[in-house]
Amino acid sequence: MNLTPFQGFLAALADSSFSAAFYLAAAYQLGVLGAGCFPSLRRARWYRVAAAVSHVLLSGFLLAGVYYATWPVA
């Protein structure tokens, strides 16, 4: 089964009992995306670190989504 990161994220939100952590991580990613819209912030060192963490979270969403998507239904 091949899931995109977004599909993995949605599967994890739908099937997990800890979806609040996924919502917080999604809010973090949107904050990093919003900060990236400003060129002065994008050049800052802390932004590069925040973007790298955001990329790692996206991979984590995919892994968690694949894990929950492959559970048997009943």
Side-chain angles (χ1 to χ4, degrees):
M1 174 185 308
N2 293 328
L3 292 177
T4 66
F6 184 66
Q7 289 172 331
F9 172 66
L10 292 178
L13 280 180
D15 293 340
S16 71
S17 60
F18 54 92
S19 62
F22 287 100
Y23 284 121
L24 289 175
Y28 172 78
Q29 287 188 323
L30 287 175
V32 170
L33 179 67
C37 292
F38 300 101
S40 61
L41 292 177
R42 201 176 328 138
R43 288 187 213 107
R45 180 171 168 78
W46 66 266
Y47 178 77
R48 290 186 204 129
V49 172
V53 170
S54 178
H55 286 39
V56 169
L57 283 176
L58 192 61
S59 299
F61 288 157
L62 176 61
L63 291 174
V66 167
Y67 174 73
Y68 284 107
T70 56
W71 275 11
V73 176

